């Protein structure tokens, strides 16, 4: 049980590190990468975060929860009361809640979520195949 959580935590941290790197090294990366990869990686991080919390649950449940969370955050950016704008102007608030609604972010999140799900699906399938081989008489 602990082993899958460690893998998901590593994937979560890797997605986070790559996302921060895409911002930190923006001047050295192609503009396409800078424009799109941060949001793709943010959604991947969200997916792997849900997998850590739902390690025994179906992959599709984590995909649905991470999509609802990601899209919910994006649509929440349409709400612009003073108090939430103040929260968004903090470092943590800006990273989690974002700044303003952008429809293209929904596409980027979808790509990140689907790529993460596909990686997870095929990795799980491979692990199960190895377990079958190892347990065969």
């Amino acid at each position: 049980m602990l082993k899958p959580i460690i893998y998901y935590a590593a994937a979560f941290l890797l997605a986070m590190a790559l996302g921060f790197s895409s911002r930190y090294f923006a001047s050295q990366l192609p503009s396409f990468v800078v424009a799109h990869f941060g949001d793709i990686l943010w959604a991947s991080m969200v997916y792997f975060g849900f997998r850590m919390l739902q390690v025994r649950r179906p992959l599709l449940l984590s995909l649905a929860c991470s999509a609802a969370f990601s899209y919910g955050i994006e649509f929440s950016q349409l709400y612009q009361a003073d108090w939430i704008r103040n929260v968004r102007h903090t470092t943590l608030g800006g990273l989690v809640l974002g700044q303003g609604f952008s429809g293209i972010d929904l596409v980027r999140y979808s790509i990140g979520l689907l790529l993460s799900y596909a990686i997870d699906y095929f990795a799980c399938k491979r692990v199960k195949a190895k377990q079958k081989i190892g347990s065969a008489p």
Side-chain angles (χ1 to χ4, degrees), residues 8-132:
Y8 288 123
F12 176 89
L13 293 172
L14 178 62
M16 183 187 297
L18 290 172
F20 282 135
S21 295
S22 74
R23 300 293 191 230
Y24 185 78
F25 297 108
S27 64
Q28 298 157 6
L29 294 171
S31 59
F32 180 83
V33 170
V34 173
H36 302 290
F37 279 42
D39 290 326
I40 290 170
L41 290 163
W42 184 86
S44 292
M45 181 194 71
V46 169
Y47 174 81
F48 290 119
F50 273 101
R51 286 304 300 148
M52 279 191 299
L53 298 173
Q54 301 173 331
V55 71
R56 291 183 179 221
R57 308 291 295 197
L59 299 181
L60 281 174
L61 177 64
S62 294
L63 179 63
C65 290
S66 56
F69 179 84
S70 299
Y71 301 155
I73 291 291
E74 191 64 30
F75 282 109
S76 78
Q77 294 170 18
L78 294 170
Y79 180 68
Q80 291 293 321
D82 287 338
W83 72 271
I84 194 78
R85 277 198 307 256
N86 290 335
V87 172
R88 288 185 180 120
H89 281 89
T90 65
T91 301
L92 183 59
L95 288 171
V96 175
L97 300 175
Q99 297 298 325
F101 179 82
S102 175
I104 191 67
D105 285 351
L106 300 173
V107 174
R108 294 174 187 141
Y109 296 159
S110 298
I111 292 168
L113 295 171
L114 291 173
L115 283 174
S116 298
Y117 172 81
I119 290 167
D120 195 13
Y121 175 83
F122 288 111
C124 288
K125 195 172 181 177
R126 186 172 180 182
V127 167
K128 286 178 184 175
K130 282 186 177 185
Q131 287 173 344
K132 273 187 178 179

